[in-house]
Amino acid sequence: MSAYQAGSMAAFEALYGRLAPALLAYLTSLARDRGRAQDLLQEAFLQIHRSRRAYRPGLPVRPWVFTIARHVWLMDRRARGRRPEITVPGVHGAMAPTLPELPVPPEVEGLAERDRLTRALSTILPDRREALLLHHVWGFSFAEIGQMIGIRADAAKLRSSRGMADLRRVLHATSRGE
Amino acid sequence: MAERIDPPPALREAIARDLRPIAPLPPPARRLAVVIPVALALLVASAAIFGLRGDAPRLGVALTWLASTLQMALGLVLTAAALRESVPGTTLPRRVLGVLIGTAVLAIVLITTLTWFASPTRIASGHVGFVWTVCVAGTVAGALPVLAIAGWLVARAFPLRPRVAGALYGIGAGLIADAGWRLFCHFSDPVHVFGAHALGIALAALIGVAVTRPSAESR
């Protein structure tokens, strides 16, 4: 990141290569739409570029980058809220018949096949799912999650543990239903 | 998920067009250091220009200089919180924001109450409007230098919640300005302090929000 701040294009490309996959997965989990997440990813990197001065060398890069990506998603959601969206079934948004591929916490990977896990994850409350994924998939500490979202560390921990409990409950219920 | 991906050509071109070396932001404590001399100058300015309040001997050092220094320090803490809030990834939880603003309100209530009990002074009827106008204008005018510097420091970062950052440094600037102004204004009537002086602080907060929001949204 320091090399990028010093004006190195190679450093930007390295940063993109290292962070884009995780950011794309995070944005997909927020937007629940892979196509929109890809657009948001490009916008997030443009915002990262415009605000690269605000990164302080020595601090972890990932919380800074993920917070900007989350902000880009929030702005996009707010903008979409302002103008009515024409939703074509099967193309975008909640009416899409197939859910985007969400990342799955390693703790529950063995509990069911990936498709069922993804569907179960999609049913969890968004704020719980976000904390769960940030901690269990991308390895952020609860203190980091708190600073990214603007909540206390113990509130982030509570959201994550409730998300995990919800996920296990949904998986248990669907396995009994089969 | 673990595959490495390259930036799309359009993004790469956009970045390459604008890529130049930039100096990273200093830590919040160093950025706050720019505000401290202004805050100290404001603390002594009103008393130096207009004179120390007439009831200062009755109040003693504790309820004049010490109380104002404490209020100024709280203003600086709120300004530091705004500087921290304006860096992505270091967002303040709502509870911390509540504690910060609550502490500032409690400090003003405590200082005002103690001052009122030590030296109760009321505005003579017929002068209320004039005194209120002077005190509101004095507090807001005193807050302007801090608002300008803190606003510039916040805008140089990347406030993701511009209203929160603006309100924090706005209240901070108002507290700093009022810390100096109360050393001149000798009316300790709580109605006047919680009315005119608090209104000055609230207006400074509104200016902070009004200035920060457009600058953040123009990115």
Side-chain angles (χ1 to χ4, degrees), chain A residues 94-152:
Chain A
M95 291 176 76
T98 52
L99 293 163
E101 190 183 319
L102 293 177
V104 175
E107 284 87 339
V108 293
E109 252 176 348
L111 295 181
E113 64 274 17
R114 197 171 177 87
D115 183 50
R116 204 152 67 85
L117 281 168
T118 298
R119 282 179 187 280
L121 259 177
S122 304
T123 64
I124 296 175
L125 286 173
D127 57 349
R128 293 182 184 180
R129 182 174 61 232
E130 184 182 18
L132 171 76
L133 295 177
L134 284 170
H135 181 67
H136 289 281
V137 175
W138 296 299
F140 288 102
S141 71
F142 293 119
E144 285 175 330
I145 296 170
Q147 290 187 340
M148 289 159 63
I149 301 177
I151 57 174
R152 284 174 294 127

Side-chain angles (χ1 to χ4, degrees), chain A residues 1-12 52, chain B residues 19-22:
Chain A
M1 190 66 204
S2 295
Y4 176 33
Q5 285 178 320
S8 163
M9 190 65 196
F12 167 74
R52 64 195 186 283
Chain B
L19 195 60
R20 62 186 187 284
I22 50 102

Side-chain angles (χ1 to χ4, degrees), chain A residues 5 13 21 49 53 147, chain B residues 3 12 18 22 25 84 91:
Chain A
Q5 285 178 320
E13 286 173 337
H49 178 71
R53 178 195 297 279
Q147 290 187 340
Chain B
E3 83 274 22
R12 203 185 176 288
D18 184 51
I22 50 102
L25 280 183
R84 184 195 148 115
T91 308

